[in-house]
Amino acid sequence: MTFRIIFIVLDGLGDRPCKELYGETPLEAASTPFMDYLAREGICGFHVPIDPGIVVESGPAHFELFGYHPFREFYPGRGVLEALGIGAKLEKGDIALRVNFATIKDGKIMDRRAGRIEDVSVFEKDLTMEIDGVQFILKAGVEHRAALIIRGSGLSSEIEGNDPHKTGRKPLKIKPKTRNPDAVKTAKLLQKYIDKAAGILSTHDVNREREKKGLPPANYLLVRGAGEYRSAESFRERYDLKACCIAGAGLYKGVARYFGMDVLNVRGASGTKNTDVDAKILAAKNALKNYDFIFLHVKATDLFGHDGDAIGKKEFIERFDKALSKIYGVDGVIVVTGDHSTPCSLMDHSGDDVPLLIHGEGVRADNCFRFGERDCHCGLLSRIHAKDVIHEVLNLIGEERIVE
Ligand code: ZN
Ligand code: ZN
């Protein structure tokens, strides 16, 4: 068999009953004729990210879905995944952090995003330097976002960030999380770098121009999510699948790159609520010619969940279903699921099970006729661990390893 796999992750898909939807979840309330067709002909159920009831962030949740175990195997941390997502080239032992360009005045943070400055690549060169034999490399991302890579010997990712996550506060001092001498050294050096960077930014031409125009200057670096880079067994090595990724948001591109997937550039795939889902589905359809495994990520469902916008989430799911219907008739296995639940009532992630649907030739159809939390309970897959989803799919296409 030479089936292809389209593996769709609607971030934060799972939800709880919503008052605005008369007690239904956004997925239940949404009119989704195409996903209901997939459910009718396929198998449904739930997956449990990590363990029952455990709340998980998107990074580790995706590791699990791809059959990697973030708590038993090495997990590189958010900073590394975000850095890879914006295209940074990392070396073994590099420490990477997420960076926000922020605005500071009289020692206090006025804006954590420096007025969502459009482009911080103008600062890259000036903020790349060497301190005490250790290299600090700044790589610009989208808007106010960037990644900081620390390269040298005797470094550790066991350090706290400096972002208090609130305006009107002073930035925190970088502290080591442990007494490990490498962590102490890294924290000290990073603080030195941040102070130096603040000095450079305070007199930078770009910021002077911004101030003249009445815009908040990008004059401070808020860093968080330190992680250490080590290479992982690639998707191809582990499953013998040639894989690609279609995503808008940096973290997911980073996860894909970490596992050696090709990241396809799709115009309009923004990782926001306005993402061009039609363009993404079309790109997935085209990618079937060259790839065995297509990871298609959609962030909007999670964003609506965080905003507590049940109606928005429902309407987005409807828009997605319409776009997805364009893959009707493709020769391959289609998986639709989420990485975790983001209930609108919580405006945050929860430890609830996540709806799961697998459609493709050879699937033993079950009695689940609609794709929704309530309906998935009668699905044949019942409740499996997220790490087993990939094995269910590999079994279907006849690629699963044989236990002898
Ligand atoms: Zn997520
Ligand atoms: Zn989220």
Side-chain angles (χ1 to χ4, degrees), residues 80-325:
V80 164
L81 299 172
E82 293 275 358
L84 290 172
I86 60 175
K89 296 269 174 278
L90 298 183
E91 295 176 8
K92 188 172 182 281
D94 280 356
I95 307 298
L97 296 106
R98 308 169 70 183
V99 178
N100 267 16
F101 276 77
T103 304
I104 197 169
K105 202 179 170 198
D106 302 328
K108 286 185 183 158
I109 299 162
M110 306 306 289
D111 188 333
R112 287 184 57 252
R113 301 179 181 90
R116 288 199 179 266
I117 181 168
E118 271 168 32
D119 181 18
V120 293
S121 65
V122 285
F123 302 116
E124 267 185 357
K125 223 173 124 214
D126 296 323
L127 296 184
T128 293
M129 64 184 83
E130 197 177 301
I131 301 174
D132 300 343
V134 170
Q135 272 179 282
F136 288 82
I137 304 155
L138 189 103
K139 177 104 181 127
V142 180
E143 294 180 338
H144 56 279
R145 301 178 195 92
L148 178 67
I149 297 132
I150 315 177
R151 185 170 293 160
S153 59
L155 299 175
S156 165
S157 61
E158 290 289 302
I159 51 170
E160 307 273 7
N162 66 348
D163 188 352
H165 291 276
K166 276 207 173 120
T167 49
R169 297 235 181 119
K170 284 183 181 173
L172 307 170
K173 286 272 170 239
I174 304 286
K175 283 193 198 128
K177 284 184 186 167
T178 63
R179 288 189 184 168
N180 172 339
D182 289 349
V184 174
K185 170 185 157 182
T186 311
K188 261 190 196 159
L189 281 173
L190 179 55
Q191 186 61 53
K192 213 168 170 180
Y193 170 80
I194 285 167
D195 294 341
K196 261 192 163 175
I200 294 167
L201 290 169
S202 67
T203 56
H204 202 283
D205 290 346
V206 172
N207 280 329
R208 291 218 162 117
E209 277 302 306
R210 284 180 70 78
E211 280 170 310
K212 262 190 218 163
K213 289 182 194 159
L215 295 169
N219 59 5
Y220 204 81
L221 301 181
L222 293 176
V223 300
R224 63 203 154 111
E228 182 193 333
Y229 178 75
R230 283 185 224 161
S231 62
E233 187 182 16
S234 75
F235 218 69
R236 195 149 200 184
E237 287 164 323
R238 191 167 284 201
Y239 303 119
D240 197 21
L241 294 173
K242 191 178 173 205
C244 72
C245 157
I246 296 166
L251 172 67
Y252 310 94
K253 294 182 192 177
V255 170
R257 287 204 178 105
Y258 189 68
F259 296 132
M261 297 182 192
D262 288 342
V263 174
L264 307 185
N265 277 323
V266 179
R267 250 184 112 120
S270 59
T272 68
K273 290 175 181 175
N274 300 320
T275 187
D276 188 343
V277 274
D278 291 296
K280 281 173 127 169
I281 300 294
L282 183 66
K285 218 172 153 180
N286 289 335
L288 286 166
K289 289 179 216 130
N290 301 315
Y291 293 94
D292 308 311
F293 185 96
I294 295 143
F295 160 43
L296 193 155
H297 181 268
V298 178
K299 185 67 182 166
T301 29
D302 181 57
L303 301 177
F304 282 111
H306 282 290
D307 288 346
D309 183 357
I311 292 168
K313 192 168 175 181
K314 167 195 166 272
E315 287 174 354
F316 180 84
I317 293 168
E318 290 175 343
R319 185 152 79 82
F320 179 78
D321 186 73
K322 216 169 172 187
L324 185 63
S325 67

Side-chain angles (χ1 to χ4, degrees), residues 11 58 299 302 306 340 342 349:
D11 207 290
S58 296
K299 185 67 182 166
D302 181 57
H306 282 290
H340 50 76
T342 310
H349 301 183

